Amino acid sequence: MTLTDQLPGSADPDSLFDAFAGWAKEQGLSLYPHQEEAVIEIVSGANVIMNTPTGSGKSLVAIAAHFAALADDRTTFYTAPIKALVSEKFFALCAIFGAENVGMLTGDGSVNADAPIICCTAEILANLALREGDRADVGQVIMDEFHFYSEPDRGWAWQVPLIELPQAQFVLMSATLGDVTRFVDDLTRRTGRPTAVVTSAERPVPLMFSYAMTPLHETLEELLSTRQAPIYVVHFTQAAALERAQALMSVNVCTRAEKDAIAAAIGNFRFTAGFGRTLSRLVRHGIGVHHAGMLPKYRRLVETLAQAGLLKVICGTDTLGVGINVPIRTVLFTGLSKYDGVRTRLLKAREFHQIAGRAGRAGYDTIGTVVVQAPEHVIENEKALAKAGDDPKKRRKVVRKKPPEGAIGWAKPTFERLVEAQPEPLTSSFGVTHSMLLNVIGRGGDAFAAMRHLLEDNHEDRPAQRRHIRRAIAIYRALLAGGVVERDPVDGSVRLTGDLQLDFALNQPLSPLALAAIELLDVDSPTYALDVLSVIESILDDPRQVLSAQQFKARGEAVAQMKADGVEYEARLELLEDVTHPKPLAELLDAAYEMYRRGHPWVADHQLSPKSVVRDMYERAMTFTEYVAFYGLSRSEGLVLRYLADAYKALRQTVPEDAKTEDLIDLEEWLGELVRQVDSSLIDEWERLRNPTAEAEAVVDERPPAVTGNLRAFRVLVRNALFRRVELAALRRFDELGALDGEAGWGADEWAEALEPYFAEYDAIGTGPDARGPALLMIEQGRERWTVRQIFDDPAGDHDWGISAEVDLAASDEAGAAVVRIVEVGQI
């Protein structure tokens, strides 16, 4: 039975409250006073601003709001700042209200979009509000993490619904809103509903703050000995989090029995090479790592082990503030300053309390502990002063150490100020784009009046409003000149000149451009499949760490070559400016973009970005692990995988079936299987959206399907594994070949000896499209192993040399990749 089944026959406030409170009691939940207050206000029809601490049960109030909207036959929207939280909430609400009553919109696609409860990102709701205004079927809006309203790049999406949806009831929630007086007055004026502010200064689990003047390892040892675990050690870079976790390996965090319990809980979990092996050692010692650069399966493993009480210390980044499902007793700050992408600065009060609020969870703890670690130079200065004693002369002679270069100095007064400070008031972050104007014009009616309302009745000050008005006028003129909109000569009204696809602003905005660019490609070209992939990659968001690593590698190789060529230092520096990451089809794509923009000016809001990540991996015939190691991306492998998953989804969703050749289908299958084998969750969740009632497996028992089960993808994996060896042989990199096949008896010396006669006869091995084609690869499929022969593309075209190998199917399933054993290298 779902909560939907408990809807009362009457939608009056008393019946709704009693029905919901009764359901909560059945779940073993008793409402806190502030929850009762919020639910009463919601069922009575008021807007609610819920400014209560983390862990105070805002999610339960949101469920009550959905319940009240369903009883009144209103569509209710829940928004969150990131797709992962939207997805998490979607599945949770499916379990509570029934899958048929819950839908999701994230920009990757839609699921059950006509459902009465919709989970979406704030941008999705904002675009819907722009396009339909007060005619939108939006009866209620629940905006979680509303403090994102102040985000410079994204805050507009939290503001637009407040302006454009006066018919809706609003529930705004966050632990760190600051003074909300202006929102109370504004919401009441716009919606005609009373607006209640629900605050609770008292946390269900109170916090105790302290400032530690002992070295960090001593602070941790004391917290562990006084049973303050699980401890989340907050760092402000991923590198620092991992380094700290590794340093803690010298501390005896767990007992032998606890380590045995961890090993049993992990079971057959697949840890891959690189960071996976590092994490395996750490978690078996009772230490976790948690940051956005990790693979999702590793983050979930850490969360699951922590929930089971098996991890005593978790070293992570401040992404903790966005919310992870981990019962944390103690939050330990390693500092109070961070680099925000522009400069190094002290934490804001909102940031401090957002992170600190994760300490102590109802149902787990009676008190939460927040410890701020004093900077190392402050601790050393205090030690030096203590050693000097009370002698004024000795104390004056103490040479005080300063903060490290580039760091901001802070000490106990900063800590005390942040503890006492209220979160800063939210500031408006409004902006005007092409898609905003197009949505409003596409709404119909008086577009000028609608835009005037949007531009003059937002939360910006008057000078900022004037800037937005000038930008809107410039965008309108560009749309008019481009023929995208037209003005009626009789009544002066503005309308679109053609049908604007309904979802142009909801999904990938450059997808139509990608379709047009694909039509420019030569389907008979041997590189057609990879060229289509390059078009798709150009419309995806840049994975900055990967592109930086590619550029670094390319510049290193360029410098080595220029030195070998005798290029002078100054000339090398000048030439290096032109060396960047690979950009296939850049000229064609840039020309297509400029041409497309003339008729579709809104694409100016979105930059085309030619790049090669998936293509680079495929052309190098590398596995995921090899690729991550090649570019030194072990701390960012989660970002790499998310990019690969996005590329796979875009390839499937964007490229029409009639544009897909056999080679392109092979590539698509290979990419999907590669992602699934590295971390099946990113694909499985996407597929599971079509069947939300499917049972999820336990994280620690999760295993991807057998890699040999996808025959088409496995053949590509085998082909790539053999071709990787062809490329290394062509470059005469015998040491790397030995690293691949040394365990099978083919070390660097054996490879060099086997290939010596070939290079005595031919001066090169071809590695072009023909060399990796199916004509030069023979596969004989058996039940337990495949026998393969990869023929070299020699300059004479004799094709009488190659590599013979066996592929172990069972071992491949275990590894999630093609396990190849070299049998012979030589002449046929």
Side-chain angles (χ1 to χ4, degrees), residues 530 533-534 537 546-547 549-550 553 581-582 584 611-622 627 630-631 633 643-644 670 724 727 772:
L530 290 172
L533 176 61
S534 291
E537 288 202 69
V546 183
L547 302 188
Q550 287 179 330
K553 175 79 73 172
H581 59 84
K611 53 188 166 291
S612 176
V613 177
V614 183
R615 180 170 183 159
D616 186 37
M617 183 182 294
Y618 186 84
E619 289 184 321
R620 292 182 185 277
M622 287 182 170
Y627 194 77
F630 181 72
Y631 284 114
L633 294 165
Y643 177 85
L644 298 181
W670 161 79
R724 174 76 177 139
E727 286 193 312
R772 71 183 304 154

Side-chain angles (χ1 to χ4, degrees), residues 61-84:
V61 173
I63 293 169
H66 290 309
F67 182 69
L70 284 178
D72 204 21
D73 199 26
R74 290 178 292 153
T75 301
T76 169
F77 278 71
Y78 167 89
T79 75
I82 58 176
K83 293 177 185 178

Side-chain angles (χ1 to χ4, degrees), residues 182-220:
R182 130 176 110 87
F183 290 103
V184 173
D185 298 338
D186 187 70
L187 273 177
T188 298
R189 174 178 67 85
R190 294 180 189 276
T191 65
R193 299 171 182 267
T195 301
V197 178
V198 177
T199 59
S200 175
E202 290 188 21
R203 287 172 49 96
V205 179
L207 293 181
M208 180 178 71
F209 293 88
S210 64
Y211 183 73
M213 288 293 295
T214 51
L216 183 59
H217 68 279
E218 291 183 18
T219 305
L220 277 167

Side-chain angles (χ1 to χ4, degrees), residues 350-652:
R350 171 171 291 103
E351 294 168 327
F352 177 76
H353 288 288
Q354 195 72 29
I355 299 168
R358 298 293 168 183
R361 288 297 179 100
Y364 292 99
D365 307 308
T366 56
I367 193 168
T369 302
V370 180
V371 180
V372 172
Q373 183 69 35
E376 289 183 11
H377 72 281
V378 171
I379 295 174
E380 291 178 12
N381 288 340
E382 285 299 316
K383 284 183 177 179
L385 289 170
K387 190 175 180 180
D390 296 329
D391 187 334
K393 292 183 179 179
K394 289 183 178 180
R395 291 179 70 88
R396 280 197 299 271
K397 290 181 180 179
V398 171
V399 179
R400 289 172 171 78
K401 294 190 175 182
K402 296 180 180 179
E405 189 175 348
I408 290 182
W410 59 270
K412 194 172 183 178
T414 305
F415 157 74
E416 292 171 340
R417 176 182 63 77
L418 286 173
V419 170
E420 296 299 325
Q422 291 297 311
E424 299 84 0
L426 295 176
T427 55
S428 174
S429 297
F430 193 76
V432 179
T433 63
H434 289 76
S435 61
M436 180 179 286
L437 262 74
L438 285 167
N439 271 318
V440 172
I441 293 170
R443 186 192 303 179
D446 189 342
F448 286 111
M451 278 306 300
R452 185 179 298 112
H453 166 70
L454 186 63
L455 294 169
E456 295 185 350
D457 196 19
N458 54 46
H459 299 161
E460 301 278 278
D461 59 26
R462 190 56 189 162
Q465 287 181 348
R466 281 195 289 266
R467 288 196 301 272
H468 297 318
I469 291 169
R470 286 194 294 270
R471 173 160 170 75
I473 291 171
I475 292 173
Y476 165 70
R477 288 172 176 167
L479 293 172
L480 198 62
V484 179
V485 302
E486 61 185 8
R487 190 165 185 177
D488 190 292
V490 178
D491 62 14
S493 63
V494 179
R495 58 177 176 265
L496 300 175
T497 55
D499 291 331
L500 192 67
Q501 64 267 31
L502 182 64
D503 60 353
F504 91 100
L506 301 184
N507 296 305
Q508 181 49 257
L510 295 181
S511 292
L513 168 61
L515 289 174
I518 288 171
E519 292 179 0
L520 302 175
L521 303 177
D522 179 5
V523 73
D524 295 322
S525 167
T527 62
Y528 172 77
L530 290 172
D531 290 343
V532 171
L533 176 61
S534 291
V535 171
I536 295 301
E537 288 202 69
S538 72
I539 67 173
L540 300 177
D541 291 338
D542 286 348
R544 297 190 183 282
Q545 290 93 325
V546 183
L547 302 188
S548 295
Q550 287 179 330
Q551 183 180 57
F552 181 79
K553 175 79 73 172
R555 288 185 170 180
E557 292 171 352
V559 166
Q561 186 60 52
M562 285 187 279
K563 284 182 178 178
D565 295 340
V567 179
E568 295 296 327
Y569 177 75
E570 294 296 333
R572 290 204 303 266
L573 289 181
E574 187 174 337
L575 289 170
L576 277 180
E577 291 298 317
D578 297 325
V579 178
T580 183
H581 59 84
K583 298 179 179 181
L585 306 183
E587 288 187 13
L588 181 147
L589 289 168
D590 287 343
Y593 178 79
E594 289 303 319
M595 186 180 300
Y596 192 81
R597 189 172 65 173
R598 291 172 195 165
H600 308 80
W602 66 81
V603 303
D605 294 337
H606 311 278
Q607 289 302 309
L608 195 70
S609 178
K611 53 188 166 291
S612 176
V613 177
V614 183
R615 180 170 183 159
D616 186 37
M617 183 182 294
Y618 186 84
E619 289 184 321
R620 292 182 185 277
M622 287 182 170
T623 64
F624 179 83
T625 302
E626 289 169 342
Y627 194 77
V628 166
F630 181 72
Y631 284 114
L633 294 165
S634 62
R635 286 202 299 268
S636 302
E637 60 183 8
L639 177 142
V640 179
L641 189 71
R642 280 192 294 277
Y643 177 85
L644 298 181
D646 287 344
Y648 172 65
K649 294 173 189 176
L651 202 57
R652 284 192 62 180

